[in-house]
Amino acid sequence: MARSSRRSTRNDVQKPIRMSPLSSDSSPVTTETAEHNDESCPACPVGSTHTTSPFSKEHGGDLDTVDKWYCPTCLETNSGLSITFKAPARKSFRKRTQRDYANLNSGLGSDPRRWSRFLEHKTFKEDPFKRLEGSQVRLEWLEEDQTAMTEPIVIERPDGLGMTMPPTDFTVDDVVELVGEDTPVEVIDVASQSASPGWTLRKWNDYFNLDPEAREKICNVISLEISGTRLADKVLPPRLVRDLDWVENYWPSTRKGKGHVYPKVQLYCLMGVAYAWTPHRGFMVYRQIFYFVRPTPENLKAYEKWSGTELQNHSWLGDMVDDVYKVELKQGNTMIIPAGWIHAVYTPVDTLVFGGNFLHSYDVGKQLRVRNIEIATHVPRKFRFPMFTKLTPLGDKILRDLKSASGVSLSDRVVESLSQLADFLVSEVRMLERGNEAAKKEAREQIPADRVKDAAAMARELRWRLRLAGGNTSEDEGSQNSGKTKANGSKRKRPTSLSPLDDSGEPFRNFRPKLWDKVVETSAEPETRSEKRRRPENENWAEGWGRFDGEEVGEDMGEVRIQRHSIVKVRRTATGLERHRIERVVEEWKWD
């Protein structure tokens, strides 16, 4: 731009009148001659037909190399004229430091190894994480070990993990061949941690295969999703990941793959050259040297303050948290990192890694916390877990399982975790019901209407049934919320019966329980008789009468009227039938 400005400015300056170096008997060039352009002979009169330069572009020449020139006719008629050339530009073969003006303009250093040099002066704690065999990493591990998936784990050998990886001699050249050399790829400049536009896999491969000394910048690729490519056929995530992954298990299989929009985060090919650095993130990843920060409330708060601000460019997050753990992975190692664990990655040598992101039902609360931090710190949508709220079919599937005749067995840990998912879904439908028009529109777009007909009813019924599965009753809920008040100051009323009500006290909108095939109600004739029972006179009379264990028997003869009602309900199930028999007995006692 500066060069164009200077050139443009010079073209705007009026040129001085030039005199032709003719013999003394020749007339001087008139002022009209000054209007010749650079491709006209300066000695020819205006309007001459032979003034075009033999060095012009149309003749294949280069006027930039010529100092003075004249046409052949003028050279023949005037022996004092001659063509002269400019001296060649002086070239320096000394290696110069490349200035990164984009980073300098942002106040960042241009040293591509500044992060690796920064780490040399830091101390880290030895990691306390478990090392497991691949055969141990199963669903049974999650059910039996309450600490499972709460800390990162390392599997040093792939045996027993139930996963597939390319051969050990697999290279970036193979990635390009299987994915396509013209595939666009987002490349990160490590020094500034900003995207470098205009890259394809072919250009990345040329860069990756350079000698380290020839690379002017340190770059890496951390967002090449390979689902639907030939490379994806060579990569299969660990068995446990496939068993837990919400996208794998709950997203409609007919709406995944080429041509469909779905959360494509399961298969990533990550490529980093020596000294590449990826700053702290909080996603769930399975896939170099890792630096971990435990996701305590204080550490997450520090991360939220640091992420996306100027602090991220000039300070080390490790100085703002309690401890930083260092884990070094070698070729063939696999690591599973639970949600919320803040981590940074450093590659001391050129590295090719396969990884992915997934959500699961064992720690929804932490996953929601990470999502809220990403929103609060304005993380671009392309770096968040995509279509998070469109996973409402998951809630619908869980609800159908809970309502099925055969039922579903959920561990206490999963019930507690999914209850937080249900609370989140209820908060989303409240936005749909009570938010402004923009919020309502955004909420509607996140609901797959073809699969979830009534999101509000589904979310509230799911929350109610999960509370029942967790052993909560409506009375428990009322006592927990007895101190809460609405915005207008009136206390929130809680239902006193076990009914599917939301916290506003209103029934589920459009909720209808499953119908019975037959309901038979009968009432017997009233029965009257005399028996000895204790009168309800002392302070503790209700204890004996409430137990039906004979404690109410006494010396006072009384008369009782007994009315019996019964209800029998039957319906078919997938495995047979279901029958409920409910009997109600009403006693009315009198004494003389």
Side-chain angles (χ1 to χ4, degrees):
M1 295 296 291
R3 186 179 306 167
S4 299
S5 299
R6 288 196 299 269
R7 187 174 299 161
S8 174
T9 302
R10 189 164 50 240
N11 289 340
D12 291 339
V13 175
Q14 184 176 357
K15 296 181 181 179
I17 298 173
R18 288 187 292 176
M19 302 298 292
S20 175
L22 302 177
S23 60
S24 57
D25 60 340
S26 297
S27 302
V29 180
T30 65
T31 55
E32 292 180 336
T33 309
E35 297 182 5
H36 283 290
N37 59 41
D38 289 341
E39 295 187 0
S40 298
C41 174
C44 287
V46 176
S48 174
T49 58
H50 51 75
T51 58
T52 303
S53 170
F55 301 98
S56 63
K57 291 180 180 179
E58 64 185 74
H59 291 90
D62 184 4
L63 276 174
D64 292 338
T65 63
V66 180
D67 182 28
K68 292 180 181 180
W69 72 273
Y70 303 95
C71 67
T73 303
C74 291
L75 289 173
E76 290 179 5
T77 57
N78 191 339
S79 60
L81 300 180
S82 64
I83 298 175
T84 59
F85 291 87
K86 296 177 182 177
R90 181 174 177 270
K91 293 183 179 181
S92 173
F93 295 95
R94 179 178 60 189
K95 186 175 181 59
R96 298 180 180 180
T97 302
Q98 296 293 323
R99 291 187 177 274
D100 190 340
Y101 290 101
N103 290 344
L104 290 174
N105 186 57
S106 302
L108 302 175
S110 59
D111 181 5
R113 292 187 57 183
R114 68 189 187 102
W115 293 112
S116 58
R117 299 184 202 280
F118 193 77
L119 295 175
E120 295 173 359
H121 305 287
K122 299 296 177 180
T123 57
F124 310 98
K125 281 199 171 184
E126 184 177 353
D127 78 89
F129 308 138
K130 294 179 180 179
R131 267 65 176 173
L132 298 180
E133 297 293 331
S135 58
Q136 297 177 276
V137 186
R138 295 175 174 270
L139 282 175
E140 293 79 6
W141 167 60
L142 279 171
E143 295 294 337
E144 297 169 3
D145 186 352
Q146 291 299 308
T147 65
M149 292 295 289
T150 61
E151 289 188 347
I153 61 169
V154 178
I155 304 96
E156 296 181 340
R157 293 184 300 276
D159 304 336
L161 263 179
M163 73 175 186
T164 303
M165 287 288 125
T168 55
D169 59 352
F170 195 81
T171 67
V172 176
D173 294 332
D174 300 311
V175 173
V176 175
E177 180 182 353
L178 294 173
V179 178
E181 61 180 14
D182 295 326
T183 301
V185 62
E186 185 164 354
V187 173
I188 301 297
D189 175 6
V190 169
S192 64
Q193 288 299 307
S194 60
S196 181
W199 288 72
T200 62
L201 273 179
R202 182 199 299 116
K203 182 178 177 181
W204 169 257
N205 192 33
D206 293 340
Y207 164 82
F208 193 92
N209 289 323
L210 290 173
D211 291 333
E213 296 77 13
R215 296 168 183 157
E216 295 179 356
K217 292 185 177 183
I218 303 298
C219 300
N220 61 11
V221 171
I222 60 173
S223 56
L224 177 61
E225 220 285 340
I226 59 173
S227 297
T229 69
R230 288 188 295 156
L231 178 54
D233 298 334
K234 297 181 177 294
V235 181
L236 184 67
R239 175 185 51 250
L240 178 67
V241 173
R242 303 196 306 273
D243 290 342
L244 297 179
D245 186 5
W246 283 357
V247 176
E248 180 73 21
N249 293 287
Y250 296 110
W251 195 272
S253 58
T254 56
R255 301 192 177 184
K256 287 190 291 189
K258 191 173 183 179
H260 293 284
V261 179
Y262 69 100
K264 291 181 62 175
V265 293
Q266 298 169 293
L267 295 177
Y268 281 105
C269 177
L270 305 100
M271 297 168 281
V273 299
Y275 312 117
W277 169 263
T278 303
H280 298 276
R281 301 188 184 275
F283 305 112
M284 164 158 311
V285 182
Y286 66 88
R287 7 187 242 225
Q288 33 148 323
I289 299 177
F290 280 78
Y291 301 90
F292 286 101
V293 174
R294 193 177 296 275
T296 64
E298 295 78 12
N299 289 344
L300 288 175
K301 186 176 181 180
Y303 172 76
E304 187 172 349
K305 178 181 178 181
W306 172 86
S307 179
T309 67
E310 283 301 313
L311 288 173
Q312 185 170 347
N313 297 327
H314 304 288
S315 63
W316 166 245
L317 177 62
D319 295 333
M320 304 169 62
V321 298
D322 48 13
D323 297 312
V324 179
Y325 302 103
K326 179 180 178 180
V327 181
E328 184 169 356
L329 298 184
K330 299 178 181 178
Q331 184 172 348
N333 292 171
T334 301
M335 175 176 274
I336 297 180
I337 307 170
W341 277 83
I342 306 163
H343 58 279
V345 188
Y346 171 60
T347 54
V349 296
D350 292 359
T351 306
L352 176 62
V353 179
F354 292 95
N357 303 329
F358 66 103
L359 300 174
H360 63 93
S361 300
Y362 283 81
D363 199 356
V364 174
K366 195 64 66 57
Q367 293 164 178
L368 289 171
R369 173 71 170 132
V370 172
R371 176 181 179 270
N372 292 339
I373 289 176
E374 290 174 344
I375 294 173
T377 56
H378 305 289
V379 173
R381 288 185 180 272
K382 65 180 179 179
F383 294 129
R384 304 181 202 170
F385 196 98
M387 309 172 73
F388 187 93
T389 51
K390 283 198 174 182
L391 285 166
T392 46
L394 162 67
D396 186 60
K397 173 64 166 60
I398 296 170
L399 178 59
R400 284 187 278 111
D401 289 344
L402 290 170
K403 292 168 61 176
S404 66
S406 57
V408 61
S409 178
L410 299 177
S411 67
D412 292 343
R413 181 179 174 187
V414 172
V415 169
E416 181 181 355
S417 176
L418 290 178
S419 294
Q420 296 182 70
L421 172 66
D423 289 339
F424 167 74
L425 293 177
V426 169
S427 70
E428 289 294 301
V429 298
R430 282 202 193 114
M431 188 70 68
L432 183 63
E433 296 167 347
R434 309 172 191 173
N436 57 39
E437 289 304 315
K440 288 180 179 180
K441 180 181 178 182
E442 183 177 359
R444 279 193 296 268
E445 290 174 350
Q446 298 302 316
I447 299 173
D450 58 327
R451 294 183 57 82
V452 181
K453 301 302 181 184
D454 191 334
M458 181 275 292
R460 291 182 171 114
E461 185 181 358
L462 174 64
R463 183 177 64 175
W464 173 66
R465 291 189 180 276
L466 285 169
R467 285 175 176 174
L468 294 185
N472 295 322
T473 65
S474 55
E475 287 81 6
D476 295 333
E477 297 163 7
S479 62
Q480 292 171 4
N481 295 276
S482 59
K484 295 183 179 180
T485 59
K486 292 185 179 180
N488 60 11
S490 61
K491 286 198 173 182
R492 182 176 292 171
K493 295 181 179 179
R494 302 295 298 179
T496 56
S497 61
L498 196 61
S499 59
L501 304 179
D502 81 347
D503 56 8
S504 65
E506 299 176 355
F508 292 150
R509 184 181 300 171
N510 302 329
F511 169 71
R512 296 290 183 274
K514 183 178 180 180
L515 298 178
W516 295 89
D517 295 323
K518 184 72 173 178
V519 178
V520 179
E521 298 186 29
T522 59
S523 296
E525 291 295 323
E527 175 187 352
T528 302
R529 61 176 183 244
S530 298
E531 294 184 5
K532 289 184 177 181
R533 291 291 188 272
R534 183 179 300 129
R535 291 174 183 268
E537 295 176 339
N538 58 31
E539 294 181 356
N540 299 322
W541 68 269
E543 293 186 9
W545 280 91
R547 289 200 294 263
F548 279 90
D549 58 0
E551 287 292 325
E552 76 281 8
V553 176
E555 298 299 327
D556 303 319
M557 183 62 71
E559 183 179 280
V560 59
R561 182 179 183 274
I562 303 174
Q563 178 72 59
R564 299 179 186 274
H565 304 273
S566 65
I567 300 175
V568 178
K569 301 186 289 186
V570 294
R571 61 187 173 194
R572 289 181 180 178
T573 66
T575 56
L577 66 83
E578 179 182 1
R579 180 171 67 176
H580 289 191
R581 184 175 184 274
I582 305 167
E583 186 176 25
R584 181 173 180 238
V585 180
V586 180
E587 299 178 356
E588 296 180 1
W589 287 84
K590 296 179 181 179
W591 287 267
D592 295 335

